[in-house]
Amino acid sequence: MMTPTTSERPGERQRKRVLIVAQLDGYANSVKPLAIERFLRELGHDVRLVDTNYLARASSTPGSPGRMLPGSLRPAKLALYANDIASKVLTRRWGFGRRHLSYYVLLSDHRLRRRILRTDLALDDFDLVICETPFDAGVLTTGTSAETLYDCPNPWADEVFHEGRLTGRQHRRFRGWEKDFLEGMEHLSFSWETYGRYAQKHYGLSGDNFLQLNWGCTPSDTRARFARPARVAYVGSLSGEFINLPLLGRLSRLYPHIDVYGGPPPDPSLGIRYRGYASPDVLSDYQFGLITCTRDPIREEGFSAKHLHYLAHGLPVLVPAWRRHLDLLRGSVPYTEEDFTTVIDALSDETRWTAVSDAAYEQGRRLDWNRTLEPLRQLLDGSPGRPERDSAAAGRHGFA
């Protein structure tokens, strides 16, 4: 453990060195690591954020030809580059490959990244190492004097299975490996508390190493205002099966005042009114935020990162009616495809809309990053009890 860089006078916080490993995709995967970086720096800690999104490429600069080329002749990086190409060719558009070969591509990616990051990152130079992605989380098992935290987005095996990327047998093997992997983490969080409960129920996790850091937001100084006709905004990534672009297209045909921001551009045949990329500040010009997603057990128990963006601007959030635990996200307005326009019409009165907007904004205030990341401050201050390291845990992290 490094020597603190500040004096240790009574009552004075020790300055710690923190490493955050993340994949910054410009959408939801960028939000939490950047929020953690800001939070810790404002507390006076020395923070390094490493973006591994283009770990095997010559460049991470948008538009650069280097993003298409291998970045090193090192065997592990060349193998990761080849694995990336195999993933694109074999598992993106080919149905059989997606179902049967994704398992091997994902495991290879995880193994190779573990090997590369173990060499590239001087983990022992830090007091705390935080990983924000399952692809890179293997680096936490390489053995280090630093304290470690895996801030898991959601249970990985089940997410991949419900996206149609595993066979039943592969899913069982993947889940068994992931259970041991998560149980062996020194500290474990999930992007939202209900995912932790899901993992305890469906994976059989003990929860003994949980240090929950809920997703948060930064409440906007400029709140949404009532207007007619009510305008609906969708902000976020438009890639991934779980986004449910067909549903977004059907809702857009049902209600013509839906504007969609994000990327990549959707298929024009879906009839989506696509507005390109915009910052969340655009939300102040709308009256509702919209969430669409495919229905499966993990989505029923989960949440959407964009939900917090909407709440931060005081937007009532239109959420599929089958999603559970909406009591944790007040200001949510359940809908079905059949009653979508009726639900919006029911809030066409300013008094009713304002009441829901007030509840949404208050919920956003309660989920301010400075509150949701408080357990992280306590961890660095030494408040929570630190679990004893399991010297045998590293042996459980091999893949089945």
Side-chain angles (χ1 to χ4, degrees), residues 122-136:
L123 301 184
D124 290 344
D125 288 347
F126 297 89
D127 298 292
L128 175 65
V129 179
I130 304 171
C131 190
E132 291 289 316
T133 163
F135 301 100
D136 299 321

Side-chain angles (χ1 to χ4, degrees), residues 157-165 171 198 294 296-298:
D158 283 18
E159 178 184 46
V160 175
F161 176 69
H162 291 301
E163 288 180 345
R165 299 167 65 190
H171 176 229
Y198 177 96
T294 53
D296 59 57
I298 195 169

Side-chain angles (χ1 to χ4, degrees), residues 366-388:
R366 291 176 180 275
L367 293 171
D368 187 300
W369 284 115
N370 291 329
R371 294 188 180 192
T372 63
L373 297 180
E374 172 64 14
L376 191 54
R377 181 195 64 78
Q378 296 175 359
L379 176 65
L380 286 169
D381 285 352
S383 301
R386 178 174 175 178
E388 292 297 323

